[in-house]
Amino acid sequence: MKIAIASGKGGTGKTTLSTNLAAYIAQTHPVVLADLDVEEPNSGLFLSGSPIATEDKFKMVPSWDAEKCIHCGNCQKVCNFNAIISLPKIVMVFEKLCHSCYACAELCPAKALTMVPEKIGTLKAYKQGNLHFVESRLDIGQEMAVPLIGQTESWLNDHFPDALLLLDSPPGTSCPVIEATKDVDFVILVTEPTPFGLHDLTLAVETMTTLKKEFGVVINRHRETGDIVEQYCEQNDIPVLACIADSRLVAELYSQGKMMYKSVPDMQQALDNIIRFLHLPGGRQ
Amino acid sequence: MKEIVVISGKGGTGKTSITAALTYVGRGEILAADCDVDAADMHLLLAPDFGKPTDFYSGVIAKIDTEACISCGKCKAVCRFDAISIIDDKYVVSPLDCEGCGYCARVCPRDAITTPEQNVGQWFISTTRLQNQLVHARLGIGTENSGKLVAKVKAEARSLAIEKDIPYVLVDGSPGIGCPVISSLSGADYVVLVTEPTVSGLHDMRRVHQLLKQFNLPCGCVINKADLNPEFSRKIEGFLQDENIDLLARMPYHPDFTEAITQGKTIVELDGSELPEKIEILWNTIKSKLEE
Protein backbone atom coordinates (compact mmCIF):
# COMPACT_ATOMS: atom_id res chain seq x y z
CA MET A 1 0.00 0.00 0.00
CA LYS A 2 1.22 3.47 -0.91
CA ILE A 3 0.14 6.54 1.02
CA ALA A 4 1.17 10.10 0.18
CA ILE A 5 1.30 12.80 2.83
CA ALA A 6 0.73 16.09 1.03
CA SER A 7 -0.53 19.63 1.58
CA GLY A 8 -1.35 22.62 -0.56
CA LYS A 9 0.45 25.01 1.74
CA GLY A 10 3.97 24.43 3.03
CA GLY A 11 4.75 24.33 6.73
CA THR A 12 1.51 22.73 7.86
CA GLY A 13 3.11 19.65 9.38
CA LYS A 14 3.57 17.21 6.51
CA THR A 15 7.03 16.15 7.59
CA THR A 16 6.06 15.98 11.28
CA LEU A 17 3.19 13.66 10.45
CA SER A 18 5.21 11.54 8.00
CA THR A 19 8.13 10.95 10.32
CA ASN A 20 6.01 10.31 13.41
CA LEU A 21 3.65 7.96 11.59
CA ALA A 22 6.57 6.01 10.12
CA ALA A 23 8.48 5.74 13.40
CA TYR A 24 5.31 4.82 15.29
CA ILE A 25 4.39 1.99 12.91
CA ALA A 26 8.02 0.84 12.84
CA GLN A 27 7.86 0.07 16.57
CA THR A 28 6.08 -3.13 15.62
CA HIS A 29 5.90 -3.43 11.82
CA PRO A 30 8.06 -2.86 8.74
CA VAL A 31 7.44 0.40 6.89
CA VAL A 32 9.23 2.53 4.28
CA LEU A 33 9.23 6.33 4.42
CA ALA A 34 10.39 8.23 1.33
CA ASP A 35 10.97 11.97 1.26
CA LEU A 36 9.89 13.16 -2.20
CA ASP A 37 10.09 16.85 -1.32
CA VAL A 38 13.37 16.78 -3.24
CA GLU A 39 13.84 20.55 -3.29
CA GLU A 40 13.84 20.78 0.49
CA PRO A 41 13.90 17.28 2.00
CA ASN A 42 13.50 17.47 5.78
CA SER A 43 12.38 14.05 6.98
CA GLY A 44 15.98 12.97 7.44
CA LEU A 45 16.48 15.67 10.07
CA PHE A 46 14.11 13.79 12.37
CA LEU A 47 15.28 10.23 11.73
CA SER A 48 18.54 8.34 12.00
CA GLY A 49 19.71 5.02 10.63
CA SER A 50 22.55 3.19 8.98
CA PRO A 51 23.12 4.02 5.33
CA ILE A 52 22.32 1.12 2.99
CA ALA A 53 22.44 2.79 -0.42
CA THR A 54 23.60 5.97 -2.15
CA GLU A 55 22.94 6.57 -5.83
CA ASP A 56 23.49 9.62 -7.96
CA LYS A 57 20.52 10.33 -10.22
CA PHE A 58 20.76 11.69 -13.74
CA LYS A 59 18.70 13.05 -16.55
CA MET A 60 19.67 12.69 -20.20
CA VAL A 61 20.66 15.80 -22.12
CA PRO A 62 22.06 16.29 -25.63
CA SER A 63 25.77 16.74 -26.23
CA TRP A 64 26.86 18.43 -29.45
CA ASP A 65 29.48 17.06 -31.82
CA ALA A 66 30.90 20.01 -33.80
CA GLU A 67 32.52 17.78 -36.40
CA LYS A 68 29.35 15.98 -37.40
CA CYS A 69 27.03 19.01 -37.30
CA ILE A 70 25.78 20.27 -40.65
CA HIS A 71 24.15 23.37 -39.09
CA CYS A 72 20.70 22.65 -40.45
CA GLY A 73 19.00 24.16 -37.38
CA ASN A 74 16.60 21.24 -36.99
CA CYS A 75 17.52 20.68 -33.32
CA GLN A 76 16.42 24.17 -32.33
CA LYS A 77 13.27 23.82 -34.39
CA VAL A 78 12.15 20.58 -32.71
CA CYS A 79 12.92 21.67 -29.12
CA ASN A 80 9.75 22.92 -27.43
CA PHE A 81 11.67 24.02 -24.34
CA ASN A 82 14.18 26.47 -25.84
CA ALA A 83 16.92 24.23 -24.47
CA ILE A 84 18.95 24.20 -27.66
CA ILE A 85 19.96 27.08 -29.89
CA SER A 86 21.54 26.67 -33.28
CA LEU A 87 23.74 29.63 -34.16
CA PRO A 88 25.56 29.96 -37.51
CA LYS A 89 28.72 28.30 -36.20
CA ILE A 90 27.82 26.61 -32.96
CA VAL A 91 24.98 24.82 -31.24
CA MET A 92 24.37 25.73 -27.61
CA VAL A 93 22.65 23.37 -25.17
CA PHE A 94 20.96 24.68 -22.01
CA GLU A 95 20.92 21.48 -19.98
CA LYS A 96 18.79 22.85 -17.13
CA LEU A 97 15.90 23.53 -19.50
CA CYS A 98 16.06 20.12 -21.21
CA HIS A 99 13.15 17.73 -20.58
CA SER A 100 14.99 14.70 -22.01
CA CYS A 101 12.51 14.05 -24.82
CA TYR A 102 15.34 12.98 -27.21
CA ALA A 103 13.70 14.73 -30.19
CA CYS A 104 16.76 16.86 -31.05
CA ALA A 105 19.12 13.89 -30.95
CA GLU A 106 16.94 11.32 -32.69
CA LEU A 107 15.74 13.72 -35.38
CA CYS A 108 19.22 15.11 -36.15
CA PRO A 109 19.98 14.15 -39.78
CA ALA A 110 23.75 14.19 -39.11
CA LYS A 111 23.62 12.34 -35.77
CA ALA A 112 25.54 15.24 -34.27
CA LEU A 113 23.73 15.12 -30.94
CA THR A 114 24.05 12.23 -28.50
CA MET A 115 22.21 11.97 -25.22
CA VAL A 116 24.50 11.96 -22.20
CA PRO A 117 23.70 11.82 -18.47
CA GLU A 118 23.72 14.97 -16.34
CA LYS A 119 23.55 14.62 -12.56
CA ILE A 120 20.45 16.17 -11.01
CA GLY A 121 20.51 14.81 -7.48
CA THR A 122 21.29 12.01 -5.08
CA LEU A 123 19.18 9.26 -3.57
CA LYS A 124 20.12 7.86 -0.17
CA ALA A 125 18.55 5.02 1.77
CA TYR A 126 18.88 4.21 5.48
CA LYS A 127 17.65 1.48 7.77
CA GLN A 128 16.84 1.47 11.44
CA GLY A 129 15.01 -1.53 12.83
CA ASN A 130 11.73 -1.90 10.99
CA LEU A 131 12.05 1.47 9.28
CA HIS A 132 13.56 2.02 5.87
CA PHE A 133 14.04 5.66 5.02
CA VAL A 134 14.73 6.90 1.49
CA GLU A 135 15.55 10.49 0.61
CA SER A 136 16.33 12.21 -2.68
CA ARG A 137 17.77 15.71 -2.87
CA LEU A 138 17.86 17.89 -5.92
CA ASP A 139 21.23 19.50 -6.67
CA ILE A 140 21.26 23.25 -6.10
CA GLY A 141 20.65 25.11 -9.36
CA GLN A 142 18.69 22.26 -10.97
CA GLU A 143 15.26 23.53 -11.90
CA MET A 144 13.25 20.37 -12.43
CA ALA A 145 12.17 18.25 -9.50
CA VAL A 146 9.90 15.94 -11.49
CA PRO A 147 12.52 13.63 -13.07
CA LEU A 148 14.16 13.04 -9.69
CA ILE A 149 10.81 12.32 -8.02
CA GLY A 150 9.93 9.88 -10.81
CA GLN A 151 13.25 8.07 -10.57
CA THR A 152 12.94 7.82 -6.80
CA GLU A 153 9.52 6.23 -7.17
CA SER A 154 10.90 3.70 -9.66
CA TRP A 155 13.69 2.89 -7.22
CA LEU A 156 11.11 2.33 -4.48
CA ASN A 157 9.02 0.08 -6.74
CA ASP A 158 12.09 -2.01 -7.55
CA HIS A 159 13.37 -2.30 -3.98
CA PHE A 160 10.14 -2.38 -1.95
CA PRO A 161 7.44 -3.74 -4.27
CA ASP A 162 5.12 -4.97 -1.53
CA ALA A 163 5.99 -2.71 1.36
CA LEU A 164 3.84 -0.23 3.22
CA LEU A 165 5.14 3.00 1.66
CA LEU A 166 4.67 6.48 3.10
CA LEU A 167 5.59 9.31 0.73
CA ASP A 168 6.36 12.75 2.17
CA SER A 169 5.32 14.84 -0.85
CA PRO A 170 6.29 18.32 -2.03
CA PRO A 171 3.92 21.19 -1.21
CA GLY A 172 1.75 22.97 -3.76
CA THR A 173 -0.53 21.81 -6.56
CA SER A 174 1.69 21.76 -9.65
CA CYS A 175 3.80 19.16 -11.43
CA PRO A 176 6.00 17.91 -8.50
CA VAL A 177 2.92 17.03 -6.41
CA ILE A 178 1.23 15.29 -9.33
CA GLU A 179 4.35 13.20 -9.90
CA ALA A 180 4.58 12.28 -6.22
CA THR A 181 0.91 11.33 -5.79
CA LYS A 182 -0.24 9.92 -9.10
CA ASP A 183 0.43 6.26 -8.25
CA VAL A 184 -0.61 6.18 -4.60
CA ASP A 185 -3.62 4.44 -3.05
CA PHE A 186 -4.49 7.21 -0.61
CA VAL A 187 -3.51 10.82 0.05
CA ILE A 188 -3.42 12.38 3.50
CA LEU A 189 -3.75 16.16 3.19
CA VAL A 190 -2.29 17.98 6.16
CA THR A 191 -3.57 21.46 6.82
CA GLU A 192 -4.10 24.11 9.48
CA PRO A 193 -7.30 25.96 10.40
CA THR A 194 -6.38 29.40 9.06
CA PRO A 195 -7.71 31.07 5.90
CA PHE A 196 -4.30 30.32 4.30
CA GLY A 197 -4.55 26.66 5.27
CA LEU A 198 -8.16 26.41 4.10
CA HIS A 199 -7.52 28.20 0.80
CA ASP A 200 -4.57 25.97 -0.06
CA LEU A 201 -6.48 22.89 1.11
CA THR A 202 -9.29 23.63 -1.36
CA LEU A 203 -6.66 23.73 -4.14
CA ALA A 204 -5.19 20.43 -2.94
CA VAL A 205 -8.67 18.87 -2.79
CA GLU A 206 -9.33 20.04 -6.36
CA THR A 207 -6.00 18.51 -7.44
CA MET A 208 -6.71 15.15 -5.81
CA THR A 209 -10.24 15.13 -7.22
CA THR A 210 -8.80 15.73 -10.70
CA LEU A 211 -6.38 12.85 -10.14
CA LYS A 212 -9.32 10.71 -8.92
CA LYS A 213 -7.50 9.96 -5.68
CA GLU A 214 -9.04 8.86 -2.45
CA PHE A 215 -8.05 11.32 0.26
CA GLY A 216 -8.65 12.50 3.81
CA VAL A 217 -7.58 15.45 5.92
CA VAL A 218 -5.47 15.78 9.05
CA ILE A 219 -5.97 19.11 10.84
CA ASN A 220 -2.81 20.32 12.53
CA ARG A 221 -2.93 23.17 15.08
CA HIS A 222 -6.59 22.27 15.53
CA ARG A 223 -8.92 24.64 17.40
CA GLU A 224 -11.61 23.29 19.71
CA THR A 225 -14.24 25.78 18.56
CA GLY A 226 -14.95 27.33 15.18
CA ASP A 227 -12.35 25.34 13.26
CA ILE A 228 -12.93 26.50 9.66
CA VAL A 229 -11.22 23.48 8.12
CA GLU A 230 -13.38 21.09 10.14
CA GLN A 231 -16.49 22.95 8.92
CA TYR A 232 -15.29 22.83 5.31
CA CYS A 233 -14.63 19.08 5.49
CA GLU A 234 -18.05 18.45 7.01
CA GLN A 235 -19.80 20.46 4.30
CA ASN A 236 -17.90 18.66 1.54
CA ASP A 237 -18.05 15.13 2.97
CA ILE A 238 -14.29 14.89 3.30
CA PRO A 239 -13.17 12.53 6.06
CA VAL A 240 -11.11 14.12 8.84
CA LEU A 241 -8.72 11.36 9.90
CA ALA A 242 -7.25 13.13 12.89
CA CYS A 243 -6.74 16.45 14.66
CA ILE A 244 -3.59 17.62 16.42
CA ALA A 245 -4.12 20.48 18.89
CA ASP A 246 -2.29 23.77 18.54
CA SER A 247 0.48 23.91 21.14
CA ARG A 248 3.75 25.66 21.67
CA LEU A 249 5.24 22.38 22.98
CA VAL A 250 4.73 20.75 19.58
CA ALA A 251 6.38 23.74 17.87
CA GLU A 252 9.32 23.57 20.27
CA LEU A 253 9.84 19.81 19.85
CA TYR A 254 9.70 20.29 16.08
CA SER A 255 12.25 23.09 16.28
CA GLN A 256 14.65 20.69 18.00
CA GLY A 257 14.10 17.94 15.45
CA LYS A 258 12.46 15.62 18.00
CA MET A 259 9.84 12.94 17.55
CA MET A 260 6.53 13.73 19.19
CA TYR A 261 4.42 10.63 19.54
CA LYS A 262 6.20 9.62 22.75
CA SER A 263 5.72 12.90 24.58
CA VAL A 264 2.59 14.41 23.02
CA PRO A 265 -0.47 12.23 23.80
CA ASP A 266 -2.47 14.12 21.17
CA MET A 267 -0.01 13.09 18.47
CA GLN A 268 -0.18 9.43 19.46
CA GLN A 269 -3.97 9.59 19.43
CA ALA A 270 -3.88 11.16 15.97
CA LEU A 271 -1.56 8.43 14.68
CA ASP A 272 -3.80 5.72 16.13
CA ASN A 273 -6.80 7.29 14.39
CA ILE A 274 -5.00 7.36 11.03
CA ILE A 275 -3.80 3.76 11.45
CA ARG A 276 -7.34 2.63 12.25
CA PHE A 277 -8.93 4.57 9.39
CA LEU A 278 -6.52 3.19 6.79
CA HIS A 279 -6.29 -0.30 8.33
CA LEU A 280 -2.53 0.00 8.72
CA PRO A 281 -0.47 -2.29 10.93
CA GLY A 282 0.76 -1.19 14.36
CA GLY A 283 -0.57 1.35 16.82
CA ARG A 284 -2.55 0.62 19.95
CA GLN A 285 -5.21 -1.90 19.02
CA MET B 1 12.75 51.05 -9.49
CA LYS B 2 14.15 48.39 -7.17
CA GLU B 3 12.91 44.85 -6.80
CA ILE B 4 12.91 42.99 -3.48
CA VAL B 5 12.12 39.26 -3.44
CA VAL B 6 11.04 37.48 -0.25
CA ILE B 7 11.72 33.73 -0.14
CA SER B 8 12.07 31.09 2.56
CA GLY B 9 13.11 27.68 1.24
CA LYS B 10 10.76 26.08 3.74
CA GLY B 11 7.03 26.74 3.73
CA GLY B 12 5.16 28.05 6.74
CA THR B 13 7.88 30.31 8.13
CA GLY B 14 5.71 33.43 7.88
CA LYS B 15 6.95 34.66 4.51
CA THR B 16 3.55 35.83 3.25
CA SER B 17 2.54 37.38 6.58
CA ILE B 18 5.73 39.43 6.62
CA THR B 19 5.52 40.38 2.92
CA ALA B 20 1.92 41.56 3.35
CA ALA B 21 2.87 43.53 6.48
CA LEU B 22 5.72 45.23 4.61
CA THR B 23 3.28 46.03 1.82
CA TYR B 24 1.05 47.69 4.41
CA VAL B 25 3.71 49.89 5.99
CA GLY B 26 5.17 50.86 2.61
CA ARG B 27 1.83 51.05 0.81
CA GLY B 28 2.56 54.47 -0.69
CA GLU B 29 5.74 53.29 -2.40
CA ILE B 30 5.32 49.53 -2.95
CA LEU B 31 3.83 47.58 -5.80
CA ALA B 32 3.33 44.00 -4.58
CA ALA B 33 3.62 40.86 -6.68
CA ASP B 34 2.54 37.41 -5.49
CA CYS B 35 4.87 34.93 -7.20
CA ASP B 36 3.94 31.99 -4.97
CA VAL B 37 1.60 31.07 -7.81
CA ASP B 38 1.24 27.47 -6.61
CA ALA B 39 -0.40 28.53 -3.37
CA ALA B 40 -1.00 32.26 -3.70
CA ASP B 41 -2.28 33.62 -0.39
CA MET B 42 -1.48 37.36 -0.38
CA HIS B 43 -4.95 38.14 -1.70
CA LEU B 44 -6.45 36.77 1.50
CA LEU B 45 -4.81 39.62 3.43
CA LEU B 46 -4.84 42.43 0.88
CA ALA B 47 -8.31 41.88 -0.62
CA PRO B 48 -7.50 42.81 -4.21
CA ASP B 49 -10.33 43.40 -6.69
CA PHE B 50 -9.06 40.71 -9.14
CA GLY B 51 -8.94 43.39 -11.79
CA LYS B 52 -8.03 42.86 -15.41
CA PRO B 53 -7.89 39.03 -15.48
CA THR B 54 -5.84 37.67 -18.38
CA ASP B 55 -5.57 34.02 -19.39
CA PHE B 56 -2.05 32.69 -19.47
CA TYR B 57 -1.10 30.19 -22.15
CA SER B 58 2.14 28.29 -21.96
CA GLY B 59 3.37 24.92 -23.09
CA VAL B 60 1.47 22.40 -25.17
CA ILE B 61 -0.15 19.01 -24.73
CA ALA B 62 -0.45 16.48 -27.53
CA LYS B 63 -3.87 15.47 -28.81
CA ILE B 64 -4.50 12.56 -31.19
CA ASP B 65 -7.26 12.77 -33.78
CA THR B 66 -8.50 9.18 -33.59
CA GLU B 67 -10.24 9.51 -36.99
CA ALA B 68 -6.99 10.32 -38.76
CA CYS B 69 -4.84 7.93 -36.69
CA ILE B 70 -3.72 4.77 -38.51
CA SER B 71 -2.42 3.10 -35.33
CA CYS B 72 1.13 2.81 -36.65
CA GLY B 73 2.48 3.22 -33.12
CA LYS B 74 5.29 5.61 -34.00
CA CYS B 75 4.09 8.23 -31.50
CA LYS B 76 4.02 5.72 -28.65
CA ALA B 77 7.49 4.45 -29.61
CA VAL B 78 9.15 7.87 -29.39
CA CYS B 79 7.40 9.12 -26.25
CA ARG B 80 9.82 9.09 -23.31
CA PHE B 81 7.11 9.91 -20.81
CA ASP B 82 4.79 6.92 -21.29
CA ALA B 83 2.08 9.43 -22.06
CA ILE B 84 0.55 7.53 -24.97
CA SER B 85 -1.42 4.37 -24.40
CA ILE B 86 -3.83 2.18 -26.32
CA ILE B 87 -7.34 2.22 -24.91
CA ASP B 88 -10.06 0.26 -26.77
CA ASP B 89 -7.69 -0.11 -29.76
CA LYS B 90 -7.24 3.64 -29.95
CA TYR B 91 -4.09 5.66 -29.29
CA VAL B 92 -4.71 8.29 -26.62
CA VAL B 93 -2.59 10.84 -24.74
CA SER B 94 -2.67 11.07 -20.96
CA PRO B 95 -2.56 14.84 -20.40
CA LEU B 96 -1.06 14.47 -16.91
CA ASP B 97 1.91 12.50 -18.24
CA CYS B 98 2.48 14.50 -21.44
CA GLU B 99 5.46 16.85 -21.13
CA GLY B 100 4.55 18.79 -24.23
CA CYS B 101 7.73 18.05 -26.18
CA GLY B 102 5.76 17.55 -29.40
CA TYR B 103 8.04 14.73 -30.58
CA CYS B 104 5.03 12.49 -31.31
CA ALA B 105 3.44 15.11 -33.57
CA ARG B 106 6.67 15.43 -35.54
CA VAL B 107 6.89 11.72 -36.31
CA CYS B 108 3.21 11.07 -37.05
CA PRO B 109 2.99 10.12 -40.74
CA ARG B 110 -0.65 11.30 -40.98
CA ASP B 111 -0.35 14.57 -39.06
CA ALA B 112 -2.98 13.17 -36.74
CA ILE B 113 -1.45 14.77 -33.67
CA THR B 114 -1.92 18.42 -32.79
CA THR B 115 -0.27 20.27 -29.92
CA PRO B 116 -2.60 23.02 -28.72
CA GLU B 117 -1.25 25.61 -26.26
CA GLN B 118 -2.44 25.10 -22.73
CA ASN B 119 -4.27 27.59 -20.58
CA VAL B 120 -2.27 27.16 -17.38
CA GLY B 121 -3.85 29.91 -15.32
CA GLN B 122 -4.81 33.54 -15.04
CA TRP B 123 -3.01 36.64 -13.88
CA PHE B 124 -4.45 39.87 -12.54
CA ILE B 125 -3.51 43.51 -12.04
CA SER B 126 -5.52 44.42 -8.98
CA THR B 127 -6.04 47.32 -6.65
CA THR B 128 -5.94 46.17 -3.03
CA ARG B 129 -7.93 47.45 -0.08
CA LEU B 130 -4.82 49.52 0.75
CA GLN B 131 -5.25 51.24 -2.63
CA ASN B 132 -1.91 50.01 -3.93
CA GLN B 133 -1.48 47.61 -6.81
CA LEU B 134 -0.98 43.88 -6.61
CA VAL B 135 -0.01 41.70 -9.55
CA HIS B 136 -0.96 38.11 -8.82
CA ALA B 137 -1.94 34.87 -10.50
CA ARG B 138 -3.87 31.70 -10.17
CA LEU B 139 -2.21 28.57 -11.54
CA GLY B 140 -4.41 25.86 -13.02
CA ILE B 141 -4.57 22.56 -11.16
CA GLY B 142 -1.69 20.19 -11.85
CA THR B 143 -0.24 22.35 -14.58
CA GLU B 144 3.38 22.80 -15.47
CA ASN B 145 5.10 26.03 -16.35
CA SER B 146 4.59 27.70 -12.99
CA GLY B 147 8.06 29.19 -13.57
CA LYS B 148 6.80 30.87 -16.70
CA LEU B 149 3.74 32.25 -14.91
CA VAL B 150 6.07 33.62 -12.21
CA ALA B 151 8.14 35.29 -14.93
CA LYS B 152 4.97 36.81 -16.39
CA VAL B 153 3.76 38.18 -13.03
CA LYS B 154 7.18 39.71 -12.41
CA ALA B 155 7.46 41.25 -15.85
CA GLU B 156 4.00 42.83 -15.52
CA ALA B 157 4.79 44.14 -12.03
CA ARG B 158 8.04 45.70 -13.20
CA SER B 159 6.59 47.44 -16.21
CA LEU B 160 3.63 48.73 -14.19
CA ALA B 161 5.98 50.09 -11.51
CA ILE B 162 8.05 51.89 -14.13
CA GLU B 163 4.96 53.25 -15.84
CA LYS B 164 3.45 54.55 -12.59
CA ASP B 165 6.77 55.62 -11.12
CA ILE B 166 6.47 53.35 -8.07
CA PRO B 167 9.91 52.98 -6.45
CA TYR B 168 9.68 49.42 -5.09
CA VAL B 169 8.38 46.09 -6.34
CA LEU B 170 7.97 43.64 -3.45
CA VAL B 171 7.72 40.01 -4.51
CA ASP B 172 6.33 37.13 -2.43
CA GLY B 173 8.36 34.19 -3.79
CA SER B 174 7.61 30.48 -3.67
CA PRO B 175 9.03 27.78 -1.39
CA GLY B 176 11.70 25.32 -2.54
CA ILE B 177 14.73 25.78 -4.78
CA GLY B 178 13.33 24.69 -8.16
CA CYS B 179 11.98 26.41 -11.24
CA PRO B 180 9.42 28.80 -9.71
CA VAL B 181 11.98 30.05 -7.18
CA ILE B 182 14.74 30.46 -9.76
CA SER B 183 12.26 32.30 -11.93
CA SER B 184 11.22 34.63 -9.10
CA LEU B 185 14.86 35.53 -8.36
CA SER B 186 15.77 36.73 -11.82
CA GLY B 187 16.32 40.47 -11.86
CA ALA B 188 16.08 40.89 -8.07
CA ASP B 189 17.99 43.76 -6.45
CA TYR B 190 17.76 42.35 -2.94
CA VAL B 191 16.53 39.10 -1.44
CA VAL B 192 14.91 38.76 1.98
CA LEU B 193 15.13 35.26 3.48
CA VAL B 194 12.47 34.48 6.06
CA THR B 195 13.45 31.58 8.28
CA GLU B 196 12.58 30.08 11.65
CA PRO B 197 14.83 28.61 14.35
CA THR B 198 14.03 24.97 13.63
CA VAL B 199 16.20 22.20 12.24
CA SER B 200 14.25 22.38 8.98
CA GLY B 201 14.31 26.18 8.85
CA LEU B 202 18.10 26.28 9.02
CA HIS B 203 18.54 23.32 6.66
CA ASP B 204 16.25 24.82 4.02
CA MET B 205 17.74 28.30 4.31
CA ARG B 206 21.24 26.89 3.74
CA ARG B 207 20.09 25.30 0.50
CA VAL B 208 18.27 28.34 -0.78
CA HIS B 209 21.25 30.52 0.17
CA GLN B 210 23.55 28.32 -1.93
CA LEU B 211 21.21 29.07 -4.81
CA LEU B 212 21.49 32.82 -4.13
CA LYS B 213 25.28 32.51 -4.17
CA GLN B 214 25.10 30.96 -7.64
CA PHE B 215 23.19 34.03 -8.79
CA ASN B 216 25.40 36.37 -6.79
CA LEU B 217 22.42 38.12 -5.19
CA PRO B 218 22.71 40.29 -2.06
CA CYS B 219 20.47 39.11 0.76
CA GLY B 220 19.36 39.63 4.32
CA CYS B 221 17.52 37.44 6.76
CA VAL B 222 14.48 37.74 9.02
CA ILE B 223 14.42 35.19 11.84
CA ASN B 224 10.76 34.63 12.57
CA LYS B 225 9.57 32.90 15.78
CA ALA B 226 13.08 33.72 17.09
CA ASP B 227 12.19 32.97 20.73
CA LEU B 228 10.78 29.51 19.92
CA ASN B 229 14.24 28.01 20.18
CA PRO B 230 16.89 30.56 21.32
CA GLU B 231 19.71 28.05 20.87
CA PHE B 232 18.81 27.52 17.22
CA SER B 233 18.32 31.24 16.71
CA ARG B 234 21.94 31.70 17.77
CA LYS B 235 22.98 28.96 15.36
CA ILE B 236 21.21 30.78 12.54
CA GLU B 237 22.84 34.05 13.54
CA GLY B 238 26.21 32.31 13.46
CA PHE B 239 25.48 31.06 9.96
CA LEU B 240 24.47 34.57 8.86
CA GLN B 241 27.72 35.98 10.22
CA ASP B 242 29.85 33.31 8.55
CA GLU B 243 28.13 33.92 5.24
CA ASN B 244 28.04 37.70 5.53
CA ILE B 245 24.26 37.85 5.36
CA ASP B 246 22.54 40.87 6.93
CA LEU B 247 20.41 40.06 9.98
CA LEU B 248 17.44 42.29 9.21
CA ALA B 249 15.09 41.45 12.09
CA ARG B 250 14.18 39.00 14.80
CA MET B 251 10.43 38.52 15.03
CA PRO B 252 8.79 36.82 18.03
CA TYR B 253 6.63 33.68 18.01
CA HIS B 254 3.41 35.63 18.31
CA PRO B 255 -0.27 34.63 18.22
CA ASP B 256 -1.01 37.76 16.14
CA PHE B 257 0.40 35.98 13.06
CA THR B 258 -2.48 33.50 13.14
CA GLU B 259 -4.98 36.06 14.46
CA ALA B 260 -4.23 38.49 11.62
CA ILE B 261 -4.67 35.80 8.96
CA THR B 262 -7.95 34.80 10.59
CA GLN B 263 -9.18 38.41 10.45
CA GLY B 264 -7.90 38.89 6.90
CA LYS B 265 -5.55 41.64 8.06
CA THR B 266 -1.80 42.13 8.15
CA ILE B 267 0.05 41.73 11.46
CA VAL B 268 0.67 45.48 11.69
CA GLU B 269 -3.04 46.27 11.75
CA LEU B 270 -3.64 44.54 15.10
CA ASP B 271 -3.18 46.71 18.17
CA GLY B 272 -1.17 46.09 21.27
CA SER B 273 1.90 44.19 20.14
CA GLU B 274 5.46 45.08 19.21
CA LEU B 275 4.98 43.72 15.68
CA PRO B 276 3.96 46.98 13.89
CA GLU B 277 7.05 48.80 15.08
CA LYS B 278 9.31 45.89 14.16
CA ILE B 279 7.91 45.72 10.64
CA GLU B 280 8.27 49.49 10.24
CA ILE B 281 11.94 49.22 11.21
CA LEU B 282 12.38 46.19 8.94
CA TRP B 283 11.05 48.10 5.94
CA ASN B 284 13.38 51.02 6.62
CA THR B 285 16.30 48.62 7.06
CA ILE B 286 15.58 46.94 3.73
CA LYS B 287 15.38 50.33 2.01
CA SER B 288 18.69 51.40 3.50
CA LYS B 289 20.31 48.14 2.29
CA LEU B 290 19.17 49.00 -1.22
CA GLU B 291 20.91 52.35 -0.95
CA GLU B 292 24.26 50.75 -0.05
Side-chain angles (χ1 to χ4, degrees), chain A residues 228-240:
Chain A
I228 53 173
V229 169
E230 209 171 4
Q231 289 160 7
Y232 164 81
C233 290
E234 213 174 277
Q235 281 158 12
N236 291 279
D237 275 329
I238 298 167
V240 174

Side-chain angles (χ1 to χ4, degrees), chain B residues 79-152:
Chain B
C79 179
R80 297 275 161 178
F81 310 103
D82 291 328
I84 298 176
S85 43
I86 305 164
I87 296 172
D88 296 335
D89 293 330
K90 288 192 163 71
Y91 282 78
V92 289
V93 177
S94 151
L96 280 174
D97 292 307
C98 177
E99 285 271 320
C101 67
Y103 194 175
C104 55
R106 296 181 207 286
V107 299
C108 176
R110 290 297 169 102
D111 289 333
I113 304 180
T114 49
T115 52
E117 273 224 302
Q118 293 300 297
N119 179 353
V120 296
Q122 271 190 321
W123 57 273
F124 313 87
I125 295 180
S126 296
T127 303
T128 71
R129 66 181 170 86
L130 311 176
Q131 300 308 315
N132 64 354
Q133 314 259 212
L134 172 71
V135 184
H136 54 131
R138 190 180 279 153
L139 189 69
I141 294 299
T143 51
E144 295 197 29
N145 294 303
S146 59
K148 288 188 178 154
L149 186 52
V150 167
K152 182 71 190 169

